[in-house]
Amino acid sequence: MSLYTDYLDEIETRKAQGLGPKPVDGADLAREIIAQIKDRENEHRAASLNFFIYNTLPGTTSAAREKAFFLKEIILGEVEVPEITPAFAFELLSHMKGGPSVEVLLDLALGDDQAIAKDAAEVLKTQVFLYEADTDRLAAAFKAGNEIAKDILVSYSDAEFFTKLPEIDEEIKVVTYIAAEGDISTDLLSPGNQAHSRSDRELHGKCMISEQAQKEIEALKLQHPNKRVMLIAEKGTMGVGSSRMSGVNNVALWTGKKASPYVPYVNFAPIVAGTNGISPIFLTTVGVTGGIGIDLKNWVRKTGPDGKAILNNDGNPILEQKYSVETGTVLTINTKKHKLYNEDGSEELTDLAASFSPQKVEFMKAGSSYAIVFGKQLQTFACETLGVPLKSAFAPSKEVSIEGQGLTAVEKIFNANAVGTTPGKVLHAGSDVRVQVNIVGSQDTTGLMTAQELEAMAATVISPKVDGAYQSGCHTASVWDMKAQANTPRLMKFMHDFGLITARDPKGVYHSMTDVIHKVLNDITVSDWDIIIGGDSHTRMSKGVAFGADSGTVALALATGEATMPIPESVKVTFKGKMADHMDFRDVVHATQAQMLDQFGDNVFQGRIIEVHIGTLLADQAFTFTDWTAEMKAKASICISEDETLIESLEIAKSRIQIMIDKGMDNDAGVLAGLVARADARIAQIRSGEKPALKPDENAKYFAEVVVDLDAINEPMIADPDVANSDVSKRYTHDTIRPISYYGAEKKVDLGFVGSCMVHKGDVKIVAQMLRNLEKAQGQVSFKAPLVVAAPTYNIIDELKAEGDWEVLQKYSGFEFDDSAPKQTARTEYENILYLERPGCNLCMGNQEKAGKGDTVLATSTRLFKGRVVEDAGEKLGESLLASTPVVVLSAILGRTPNIEEYKTAVEGIDLTKFAPPKATPLDTLSVHY
């Protein structure tokens, strides 16, 4: 059987699923298709032409190389294909974005046939995805006196690839579609349990919201053929929880515009909106695709004569509607006036200035944010090569500099890493900045999309600017099923070849590591001045400043070593009082959210940096706080540490990186060894006093300052999805924080989960110590609910084995993971026993393992979204409540939430995660857990 006949068989299988042919991305199949096109008598010639023209992926896929060089043969007259004239061949090359297509265009432009060279040059003038190998060829030809090369460079120096693009429409008519009420998690747009299909865009598009919703959207499009569908989170924020490029891709697939007639299932320019706007990291993803994100502000708080919000019986503000956006409402977006109007434009509804900043308008015009990044680099290169001054065709970066005002921590980091800003100018929040990226992380359920983005932008090797990059295997660690077996090795090989450190060795030399990506990134971040970009919302390091990002932004950071964003405002978080001995640091995290809401009424963290003055907490423990800031809807967080604490955290990071080196995980470029050297250099700077641990200036300006009162935290706290709240918009948020006494020791718990990136070694030690205590007091331990424990890293398990804790866990476990025979099917039923699962995300990800439908789960994880950890079962709603490790363990043993006396007895003598506000001599507050 040929590859082509296999492909036809696959097409028939997909047709039965309501799907079209999968795009061609492999060289062997592409070659067979081309051979059939050349054979005029071939029975498959017509179909092969269709696949070649309309269904072959562009960029640096191996199929794209075959396509580009076949088009070159046609243009040179070496092959005649009546259906593909030389002019059409040039058009096809213009849609292939870069890589082999640019290589071919340069071959033709710098060749001997002047007519062909001029045609090739005209196409090249529209391209932006050129890399060093391409620009070196142009520069060399120009220096050798080639007039075509000069003509191309002059065009680039004027940025004609951008200036000649059509302007965005002044008026955009939209018809509304309410996707849901309340905050909309990206899981609604791209469910985690469908992560395996994300790189198959058409197939993955079938999982957006629901089949019924998709039919309703299609019906709206038929009813309003000249309008765009705007997807809305009514009474909530759109896109909370993660950047989820696949979510934006799905929205674009159903509501956006086709990017190219010759590239299947790639749409762009979606329009999304929310009563409370768009989640910051999701908004970045919208920009990647040239889309529009809108803050509707269509519901406002009802206020009394005193100007204060009127509260309902539950203590929540009463909202009143300013204007309706019910499904089917036609509205008008004016992109020049930056306003939202009613259908005929007679009534202004809200201001859209934030949606149409000069930079965002450029993204819309160019069709993506990274087309602008590459365009700026290309214009700069051309001007430097020609020796002419740069007259940027792009909106000047906004530079905010306030004389006499100090810098927050994030402002210091951005200023230190800024690229292309006015020399000597100190920048404050609100400035638009290109920054160098130090560390990049790609995770396994978005990694294949990142690989696609890298291929689409014609990147072949990691930027030398990046200090370290890691490809994880944690999101698919739980079950080594057919989907994981098909996707993971392919992903690891691509990323290994690209230059990343990979969790799985494509050559099979070192043991596969499924450590949670955020833990690994936290270790390989070896400076408090670093900028980190990662393909997951929980890219929140306790060193440096880290931003969760979509797969496209991750790809851009890998390819260019840069990112572009405004410097965010900061909220300062400090602590007072003393933490009670029976409390765990996780309760401090919950209390921060609760006390902030009490102090301000609104979530002042949303879209901003949380600058937490953590002082004496080591990196692993501090990560518990920074990790949670994703659920606080913060843009990112920064830990302000004491010098000695930071040094100790860096020494721990060094030891863990060395373990990775000892396992054989370093690559030919010696990335891991280089990180150890960077850590040593940073430690030396701190010890010598040359550059102490990062701290803000005394006269820095903050959007708000939150002081957390540790004395007020006297019982464990639970983040509750509040699934029965009569106000739909209040369900499944992370804002409902309740003390355990609220539940009266009566709330049934069906499953406990200790795992995800929110736990560290100390948490697993707590599990072991609680089992010891109960065994001593009762003679045995029995569980009234299953308890699933997934350590975040193999290092932790190794250390627990050495310290005698793993032996205790094994004694009470009914299941222990076995890497030599990993699970091939997901668990669907649980017994009332302890499960020791493979390091990784496990239940928190929700794409493989899940709790039983309708269960009430108490977990240490971060996700309480509808359907993530647990799905509904008819009328029985699934709940994922979040708490500290001791609360989760005790609840699994009791089968219910404990009362405060039961809790205090259970944790007596256990070394919980300790914390105290920074002092002059801080290290006496550290616990042994790291």
Side-chain angles (χ1 to χ4, degrees), residues 681-682 684-692:
R682 182 69 189 110
Q685 285 180 328
I686 300 168
R687 284 194 169 134
S688 69
E690 174 192 347
K691 192 174 182 180

Side-chain angles (χ1 to χ4, degrees), residues 439-483:
I439 303 293
V440 183
S442 171
Q443 53 99 330
D444 39 325
T445 54
T446 61
L448 286 171
M449 294 173 61
T450 298
Q452 282 183 335
E453 297 288 342
L454 289 167
E455 288 177 330
M457 64 177 72
T460 57
V461 66
I462 193 169
S463 168
K465 296 178 186 176
V466 176
D467 295 313
Y470 178 71
Q471 171 62 58
S472 81
C474 57
H475 286 65
T476 53
S478 302
V479 183
W480 189 235
D481 56 15
M482 297 301 292
K483 296 166 186 173

